[in-house]
Amino acid sequence: MTNEELKIKLTELNPAATFEEGGEWLNLFIDAADLLSFTKTIKENSELYFDYLFCLTCVDWKTHLTMVYHFSSTKHRHNIVVKVKLDRTNPEIETLSFLWRTAEFHEREVYELFGVKFLNHPDLRRLILTDDFEGWPLRKDFEDPINMIKL
Amino acid sequence: MISLEKIATLIDGWLHQHFNDVITLLIECVLVGVGAIALFALLGLGLVWMERKVAALMQIRMGPNRVGPKGIFQTSADTLKLIMKEGLTPDGADKLLFNLAPVLVIIVAMLILAPIAFAKNFQIWDINIGVLYVSAVSSMSVIGILMAGWSSGNKYALLGAMRSGAQIVSYELSAGISVLTIVVLTGSLQISEIVQSQQTGWWIFKGHIPAIIAFVIFIIAATAETNRAPFDLAEAESELTAGFHTEYSGMKFALFFLAEYINIFIVCAIGATLFLGGWMPLHIGNVQAFNHAMDYIPSSIWFLGKTLFLIFVIMWFRWTFPRLRVDQLLNLEWKYLLPISLVNLLVMTVIAILGWHL
Amino acid sequence: MFRQTEIINQPSTIPPSKEEGEYLTINVGPQHPATHGVLHLVITLSGETIINIEPHLGYIHRSIEKMCESLSYRQFIYVTSRMDYLSSHINNHACALVVEKGLQVEVPQRAQYIRVIMDELTRIASHSLWWGAMAMDLGAFTPFFHAFREREAINEIMEETCGARLTMNYMVPGGVMVDLHPNFQQKTKALIQAYYNRLDEWDELVTGNIIFQNRMKGVGMLSAENAISYGCTGPVARGSGVSCDVRKIYPYEIYNQLQFDEILETGCDSLARYNVRLKEIRQSLKIVEQLIDNIPEGEFQAKTKAVLKLPKGEFYQRVETARGELGVYIVSEGGTTPYRIKFRSPGFSNLSALNHMVKGSKIGDLIAAMGTLDLVIPDIDR
Amino acid sequence: MFIKNYIKEVFGAVKSLWTGMRMTGYYFTHKKEVITEQYPDNRATLQLAERFRGEVVMPHDENNQHACTGCSACEIACPNATIKIINKFDILPDGKKKKAIDKFVYHLELCTMCGLCVEACPTSAIKMANTFEHSVYDRRQLTKTLNQPGSKIREGVE
């Protein structure tokens, strides 16, 4: 499906979604509460069939965090980007690890680098850093006077 | 012509002239002990060097070439280094067993040296159950390995030791049975008689196909018993880091290392004795000129040559094959080697009864 | 902000131990011969059978994503050589492509050809190294040296043209850094011829070996659905029959003009993944063969501004590295440095499938399965 | 039937093993295949690629002149702050001041040999040399001043 077709179809599924123009792929913002049901639909809908979550990350916009999910379909070969805005002080979102197993590791990485708490995650522990590490390193306000050298 | 037999007789004669029987025996025991240890050291150094050279050439490398000509003193230098190193004993280890294990392994290796015929009439102890003695004693080395693995207090070592236990116990069977096929032919367990029986031809030539099959099975089982690749599951470098000797260092590690090579030498010597005629020279039918020429080569050279050839084959295996998995290892033994060697033994018995081998 | 202790759950995957001492926990790594780096796996064993595997990462995490946030669009490319150091060309390529996408730069034909040739040579080198390491994991040491001999020839070609053997930094936004060395074509042609013979040798030495076949067959099963679900890409997914070659599906540069096959195997086991990689070497050789005589004359680098500024927006580029799909996601605020950069590395996702693949099998199988994942730890840790 | 398969299996296995052993046997008997390079001994015959990026150097001509204008393009291009340029102002005979380099400090220990500085240099004043034996006993020796003492900028280079 082309981006336009996808847009029509996705609007049907989730009227609350807002679209962002300009990118290579269709970008849509949805509400954090809708994420699980929405992604479940787009995974199981045979026309969309987004069965492949190929990138899961987070961006710190200083005022808020944005979770970015890149979905692709191995059957139809179309891609979308789903974004969810999160509160910066207490970011919480449903985990997708039951729909896409790859999300388990990616969410652990996002958790420890951005501090996003994934609800119902089967094993939300730190993956890279030590257990007693403080702070969320990939956030923009992270400071580490010892290990970060400003050039 | 100087032969080992003559030297031995000379020494024996000289001692008898000067001392009474008891002292002679004592002195001879000491001499044999010293000789065995010296042989050990030499074999260890030589075989390690040989292994490294064989491996290097197969791996398109040069191998040791810095210490001495062609690097022959490299292993001596390594030994020196190992002696200088601290022999650590981990805190969690069972101290007594941990230190005892390498000694036990090396003692077992030393014991098997007794009945081996190195040259014509040159043998430490020509016991009349020689073959039985060898298979009985060689299975004791597993105790040393289990001891090392268990007492280290290391999980890798424990896993390696357990693997080694299962492996050696099961491969004893097919090794024993393939030895038995030759015993059936000769009708004797005594090493010197087995060698004598091959005067007209080595068993591998005149024993028909069953002897060849027995030989192949023996080589495979011998490789497994010495924990060599492709059966080096007890060490399994990429799985268990170093297996049962993970925690050993310095000279204690060197003892394990040495024992491995001594064991290879011994199983290959047994193989050479049983199948390739021990120190018997190669004779072809009635070609007298050829047979005389062969007779001219000293018997000790024949023995060593055959043994080294078998050692080379085992090294060749090691540097060619990947390692088996633990269940495949046991499958190979129980599903292939053991049934084949049992059938083989049966066929061989029939041959022996019918007298086709003479 | 919430406290960490609240969210450290017990991992649900470990079954409750029946008695004390029922299971054996072993640390494989961070220093271990089979992990090819500083991967740390905590394995729960019952005898020799694996109950659970838990990777602990981060031993060489250099926070490349954070570093890139302070590097300019020309500078950040060199860092990516240090992620998956065995396919550094392809990493650099991905970064160059994403910057070009943002800048809307047209890359000269010659540069595209050179880039693709370099990519494929890198892939061959990487698969060669993997082949040797795989055989070594299974206990055969000799293939390792043979693989290194072959790889060395490629490294020498790289060294002559790019000036480095491993961390090339040869791709720049707009093309490549320097033109090909005069000897390049001749040497590469000689290499291709030699390589076909070498591959036959490899088959004799390892592939046909009965021990090897038995070690690989039916080990580390990963079904197609699970491969997709775990986000596996590259030879790992293709060994399970999932068509995922970025070069075919989302072609970049001149891949859509080339004749090559996407290798698919349906065995789903380690042997299938092994076969995929060996066949891919042949495909890569075929690609290089097609290109090497037809490199067009012209510029090797497009004219770009001294200071690059990407427009505000988000750019994503995926390429096929030797290990799978590498995605570079750049969020730009219009400045000279990326606002946020994310590398979606193939090894990270492939590693996550390891636990699923080897649960219930023996330790030896873990090594065989992990070997076919072709993990490069800096790629996982970034 | 079972026996036949069994025997076939055994022979197939032995054959596959023999194929592998033939290969290693070939290498064992052909010493010319050895590819080891005896590195420190073969220094005299060692061929290095001329483009090999070993360290940054500043070529000087016979008049002890270089082409560096002190524009700091390399310093900006460097991702690791490997290069530090300290400028001075020469007073020309007509009284004008002219910018020139005082010191071109190069930290080899920080350098990743990416070659971006050479790319950035507008006057080709620096290049990558293919030396590679950089080990020293004191890390301070790795901080180098690339312009030779008393060197001047070549005439006509702007």
Side-chain angles (χ1 to χ4, degrees):
Chain A
M1 272 198 254
T2 61
N3 280 356
E4 287 306 310
E5 285 165 354
L6 276 175
K7 193 169 175 179
I8 295 160
K9 180 81 189 166
L10 290 168
T11 324
E12 276 172 31
L13 288 173
N14 189 346
T18 53
F19 294 90
E20 196 183 61
E21 295 300 325
E24 183 188 0
W25 298 319
L26 192 66
N27 283 267
L28 72 159
F29 279 94
I30 58 168
D31 207 43
D34 294 344
L35 181 77
L36 200 59
S37 57
F38 177 74
T39 49
K40 198 168 160 41
T41 332
I42 64 168
K43 189 191 175 192
E44 282 160 6
N45 188 312
S46 64
E47 275 178 64
L48 297 166
Y49 201 68
F50 285 107
D51 57 344
Y52 176 33
L53 170 67
F54 65 92
C55 188
L56 187 162
T57 188
C58 183
V59 182
D60 178 19
W61 289 103
K62 287 175 185 153
T63 50
H64 61 274
L65 298 173
T66 310
M67 285 297 299
V68 185
Y69 301 88
H70 286 73
F71 291 105
S72 176
S73 168
T74 54
K75 200 158 98 189
H76 305 300
R77 304 290 180 205
H78 48 221
N79 307 285
I80 51 163
V81 185
V82 175
K83 293 179 178 176
V84 182
K85 276 186 187 167
L86 293 179
D87 180 23
R88 203 159 180 277
T89 46
N90 189 17
E92 277 186 349
I93 193 162
E94 278 289 331
T95 175
L96 295 187
S97 55
F98 298 106
L99 293 170
W100 291 274
R101 308 290 286 274
T102 182
E104 189 178 328
F105 263 49
H106 279 95
E107 282 172 354
R108 276 175 76 177
E109 193 190 16
V110 168
Y111 156 65
E112 69 176 344
L113 298 178
F114 287 94
V116 178
K117 187 177 171 186
F118 292 92
L119 305 168
N120 300 324
H121 190 284
D123 184 15
L124 195 65
R125 288 171 303 142
R126 287 171 182 273
L127 184 66
I128 298 164
L129 299 164
T130 50
D131 285 343
D132 53 355
F133 193 88
E134 297 220 353
W136 314 110
L138 271 185
R139 287 195 184 184
K140 290 285 172 186
D141 54 2
F142 179 76
E143 289 293 335
D144 184 346
I146 299 159
N147 295 317
M148 275 167 69
I149 302 164
K150 286 261 159 60
L151 293 179
Chain B
M1 199 170 68
I2 301 165
S3 70
L4 288 172
E5 184 194 356
K6 276 187 188 158
I7 298 170
T9 336
L10 258 167
I11 295 174
D12 190 50
W14 187 83
L15 286 171
H16 271 289
Q17 269 178 7
H18 294 265
F19 307 101
N20 65 20
D21 280 0
V22 179
I23 295 181
T24 307
L25 190 68
L26 276 177
I27 292 177
E28 277 177 358
C29 281
V30 170
L31 277 179
V32 165
V34 170
I37 290 171
L39 181 73
F40 260 44
L42 274 177
L43 275 178
L45 297 180
L47 289 181
V48 172
W49 177 80
M50 174 177 161
E51 168 117 298
R52 290 183 62 176
K53 275 289 183 190
V54 169
L57 281 175
M58 283 179 182
Q59 296 170 348
I60 47 179
R61 297 183 285 121
M62 278 180 155
N65 61 356
R66 294 279 141 173
V67 191
K70 302 242 169 211
I72 46 170
F73 297 125
Q74 180 66 50
T75 42
S76 322
D78 287 346
T79 317
L80 195 68
K81 182 203 79 177
L82 283 171
I83 291 171
M84 309 269 256
K85 272 187 149 181
E86 186 187 359
L88 280 172
T89 307
D91 269 350
D94 185 322
K95 302 267 181 321
L96 175 72
L97 292 183
F98 184 82
N99 291 315
L100 195 62
V103 180
L104 191 88
V105 170
I106 207 108
I107 286 175
V108 168
M110 248 180 194
L111 281 176
I112 318 177
L113 218 54
I116 288 172
F118 289 95
K120 198 175 180 180
N121 298 330
F122 185 78
Q123 218 169 336
I124 296 173
W125 185 24
D126 191 12
I127 179 177
N128 62 357
I129 49 160
V131 173
L132 186 63
Y133 171 85
V134 168
S135 36
V137 175
S138 68
S139 51
M140 263 167 59
S141 68
V142 70
I143 297 174
I145 290 174
L146 280 174
M147 232 177 189
W150 184 81
S151 66
S152 296
N154 180 316
K155 290 166 187 167
Y156 283 129
L158 185 64
L159 276 172
M162 296 319 287
R163 283 177 172 194
S164 174
Q167 177 184 338
I168 292 180
V169 165
S170 44
Y171 276 82
E172 273 295 313
L173 286 170
S174 50
I177 289 172
S178 52
V179 167
L180 220 57
T181 37
I182 297 303
V183 173
V184 166
L185 283 178
T186 52
S188 168
L189 289 167
Q190 198 165 354
I191 299 261
S192 59
E193 274 192 33
I194 290 175
V195 177
Q196 274 306 330
S197 70
Q198 302 182 67
Q199 191 153 23
T200 50
W202 304 349
W203 282 127
I204 193 155
F205 297 135
K206 62 173 187 177
H208 308 288
I209 293 169
I212 295 170
I213 294 175
F215 178 66
V216 171
I217 289 174
F218 180 81
I219 289 291
I220 295 172
T223 318
E225 265 194 78
T226 46
N227 281 329
R228 295 274 300 179
F231 308 102
D232 61 342
L233 286 151
E235 289 175 42
E237 203 240 23
S238 57
E239 291 160 32
L240 306 176
T241 56
F244 66 91
H245 57 59
T246 305
E247 293 289 349
Y248 284 89
S249 60
M251 206 52 210
K252 277 180 258 174
F253 164 74
L255 286 182
F256 275 118
F257 204 61
L258 187 64
E260 182 187 332
Y261 284 92
I262 301 299
N263 278 329
I264 296 166
F265 178 82
I266 284 162
V267 292
C268 288
I270 301 287
T273 311
L274 293 175
F275 297 94
L276 303 180
W279 47 262
M280 276 293 169
L282 179 70
H283 285 178
I284 302 176
N286 290 321
V287 193
Q288 291 302 333
F290 177 79
N291 289 355
H292 273 295
M294 290 291 124
D295 281 340
Y296 211 71
I297 300 171
S299 56
S300 49
I301 300 286
W302 273 110
F303 173 77
L304 260 178
K306 286 169 192 175
T307 311
L308 282 180
F309 168 73
L310 289 185
I311 292 174
F312 170 73
V313 170
I314 285 185
M315 285 177 182
W316 195 0
F317 285 162
R318 172 163 182 187
W319 299 110
T320 309
F321 300 141
R323 182 183 305 118
L324 278 83
R325 204 171 58 209
V326 67
D327 53 330
Q328 289 165 356
L329 178 94
L330 297 178
N331 269 351
L332 174 69
E333 164 64 19
W334 296 103
K335 285 192 184 164
Y336 295 91
L337 295 187
L338 191 63
I340 291 175
S341 53
L342 279 172
V343 172
N344 196 38
L345 178 62
L346 195 71
V347 176
M348 194 54 120
T349 320
V350 172
I351 289 176
I353 290 169
L354 295 177
W356 289 352
H357 63 291
L358 296 170
Chain C
M1 207 171 282
F2 48 85
R3 287 169 54 91
Q4 283 163 3
T5 43
E6 294 166 12
I7 42 181
I8 296 176
N9 309 353
Q10 270 301 309
S12 58
T13 38
I14 298 178
S17 152
K18 280 179 227 148
E19 283 170 42
E20 184 70 23
E22 184 81 1
Y23 295 124
L24 199 62
T25 311
I26 281 194
N27 289 296
V28 172
Q31 305 290 329
H32 191 275
T35 53
H36 305 296
V38 282
L39 178 64
H40 180 189
L41 300 174
V42 179
I43 311 185
T44 314
L45 290 173
S46 163
E48 282 248 355
T49 312
I50 293 165
I51 303 293
N52 186 51
I53 286 183
E54 196 193 312
H56 286 203
L57 303 177
Y59 287 92
I60 43 168
H61 197 279
R62 293 140 297 172
S63 206
I64 283 180
E65 287 170 14
K66 185 89 176 175
M67 273 164 72
C68 288
E69 285 175 13
S70 61
L71 292 176
S72 79
Y73 288 112
R74 279 188 198 285
Q75 288 170 343
F76 88 99
I77 293 178
Y78 99 96
V79 192
T80 58
S81 302
R82 276 120 183 119
M83 291 196 317
D84 178 355
Y85 51 82
L86 292 178
S87 40
S88 58
H89 258 310
I90 311 178
N91 294 349
N92 294 348
H93 195 171
C95 299
L97 279 172
V98 71
V99 174
E100 282 152 14
K101 195 184 254 179
L103 293 171
Q104 313 253 317
V105 176
E106 188 69 31
V107 182
Q109 276 284 311
R110 184 176 173 82
Q112 295 195 15
Y113 272 67
I114 295 173
R115 282 175 171 191
V116 171
I117 292 173
M118 288 299 183
D119 275 11
E120 295 308 318
L121 285 178
T122 312
R123 197 182 314 279
I124 297 167
S126 170
H127 282 347
S128 304
L129 180 87
W130 162 82
W131 178 78
M134 178 77 236
M136 199 171 72
D137 281 351
L138 295 183
F141 283 82
T142 308
F144 188 69
F145 291 88
H146 289 226
F148 261 77
R149 171 183 57 176
E150 269 63 286
R151 181 169 169 270
E152 183 67 22
I154 296 178
N155 272 355
E156 264 166 26
I157 290 174
M158 294 283 185
E159 187 182 3
E160 209 168 48
T161 291
C162 317
R165 296 163 65 84
L166 209 59
T167 50
M168 279 78 162
N169 192 30
Y170 183 57
M171 314 272 179
V172 293
V176 293
M177 201 181 237
V178 281
D179 205 355
L180 289 177
H181 194 273
N183 291 341
F184 180 79
Q185 271 158 305
Q186 172 223 331
K187 280 202 173 178
T188 311
K189 271 186 244 172
L191 174 101
I192 294 168
Q193 279 318 310
Y195 236 93
Y196 280 121
N197 296 335
R198 295 301 188 201
L199 286 176
D200 293 340
E201 256 181 40
W202 292 7
D203 284 346
E204 269 181 52
L205 188 58
V206 171
T207 317
N209 191 308
I210 181 85
I211 303 174
F212 181 78
Q213 295 259 337
N214 281 337
R215 281 297 300 273
M216 301 288 267
K217 236 178 250 168
V219 166
M221 298 297 282
L222 183 69
S223 66
E225 296 81 61
N226 276 321
I228 296 171
S229 178
Y230 275 108
C232 296
T233 45
V236 178
R238 288 198 284 278
S240 301
V242 181
S243 162
C244 60
D245 195 330
V246 182
R247 296 175 293 172
K248 279 276 183 204
I249 301 165
Y250 308 101
Y252 49 98
E253 303 285 26
I254 51 166
Y255 275 114
N256 49 2
Q257 306 161 19
L258 295 172
Q259 300 290 317
F260 68 100
D261 299 328
E262 181 182 3
I263 308 292
L264 288 179
E265 291 269 337
T266 46
C268 301
D269 56 359
S270 287
L271 191 65
R273 295 190 279 275
Y274 174 87
N275 285 332
V276 167
R277 288 208 175 86
L278 278 198
K279 287 179 184 165
E280 267 186 16
I281 297 183
R282 289 181 194 271
Q283 292 301 322
S284 293
L285 286 171
K286 209 169 128 189
I287 293 175
V288 179
E289 253 180 347
Q290 286 171 43
L291 294 177
I292 192 71
D293 280 325
N294 308 320
I295 304 173
E297 292 297 320
E299 289 286 304
F300 58 86
Q301 197 178 339
K303 290 266 178 292
T304 45
K305 283 182 194 150
V307 178
L308 302 178
K309 274 187 185 169
L310 253 63
K312 193 169 155 57
E314 289 168 15
F315 308 95
Y316 193 97
Q317 176 66 44
R318 38 187 172 186
V319 295
E320 181 77 15
T321 73
R323 258 143 283 277
E325 176 185 323
L326 171 76
V328 182
Y329 174 59
I330 289 187
V331 180
S332 169
E333 280 282 78
T336 56
T337 58
Y339 183 76
R340 162 97 174 101
I341 194 159
K342 155 86 183 170
F343 297 106
R344 184 259 181 228
S345 64
F348 190 72
S349 301
N350 288 354
L351 174 70
S352 66
L354 182 65
N355 189 14
H356 174 82
M357 280 160 65
V358 297
K359 215 179 264 182
S361 44
K362 304 270 180 292
I363 303 178
D365 291 342
L366 163 71
I367 309 299
M370 194 160 66
T372 50
L373 286 182
D374 194 8
L375 302 175
V376 167
I377 313 306
D379 179 39
I380 296 167
D381 272 355
R382 298 191 297 292
Chain D
M1 203 57 220
F2 168 75
I3 301 283
K4 198 178 156 194
N5 280 343
Y6 185 86
I7 292 171
K8 219 169 160 183
E9 212 177 309
V10 170
F11 274 94
V14 171
K15 200 181 153 212
S16 82
L17 296 180
W18 174 244
T19 327
M21 283 174 71
R22 218 177 42 202
M23 179 56 60
T24 41
Y26 168 81
Y27 282 106
F28 180 71
T29 47
H30 289 71
K31 218 183 163 186
K32 64 172 169 37
E33 299 272 1
V34 167
I35 47 159
T36 309
E37 285 195 29
Q38 305 250 27
Y39 160 57
D41 296 345
N42 69 354
R43 267 212 191 101
T45 54
L46 206 60
Q47 290 280 322
L48 265 178
E50 66 191 279
R51 284 185 192 174
F52 180 75
R53 297 197 292 255
E55 83 180 297
V56 176
V57 292
M58 184 184 280
H60 287 66
D61 62 11
E62 63 277 10
N63 303 326
N64 204 12
Q65 287 176 332
H66 55 75
C68 181
T69 56
C71 68
S72 301
C74 47
E75 194 179 333
I76 295 163
C78 183
N80 308 313
T82 305
I83 294 169
K84 180 92 193 107
I85 292 175
I86 300 163
N87 278 321
K88 63 178 179 190
F89 287 93
D90 285 345
I91 312 242
L92 292 178
D94 53 354
K96 281 183 191 162
K97 278 187 184 171
K98 195 189 172 207
K99 200 167 92 172
I101 54 167
D102 183 21
K103 265 186 181 169
F104 188 106
V105 183
Y106 169 57
H107 297 271
L108 181 56
E109 75 270 30
L110 294 177
C111 186
T112 55
M113 324 296 174
C114 63
L116 288 173
C117 50
V118 179
E119 274 283 283
C121 184
T123 57
S124 304
I126 48 175
K127 67 173 192 124
M128 300 300 282
N130 63 0
T131 49
F132 63 98
E133 288 164 322
H134 294 314
S135 51
V136 287
Y137 284 104
D138 186 351
R139 73 155 69 174
R140 276 170 300 185
Q141 285 170 275
L142 290 172
T143 305
K144 298 178 178 181
T145 308
L146 291 189
N147 56 329
Q148 288 168 10
S151 63
K152 277 210 290 282
I153 185 165
R154 198 174 297 141
E155 290 296 316
V157 177
E158 287 302 322

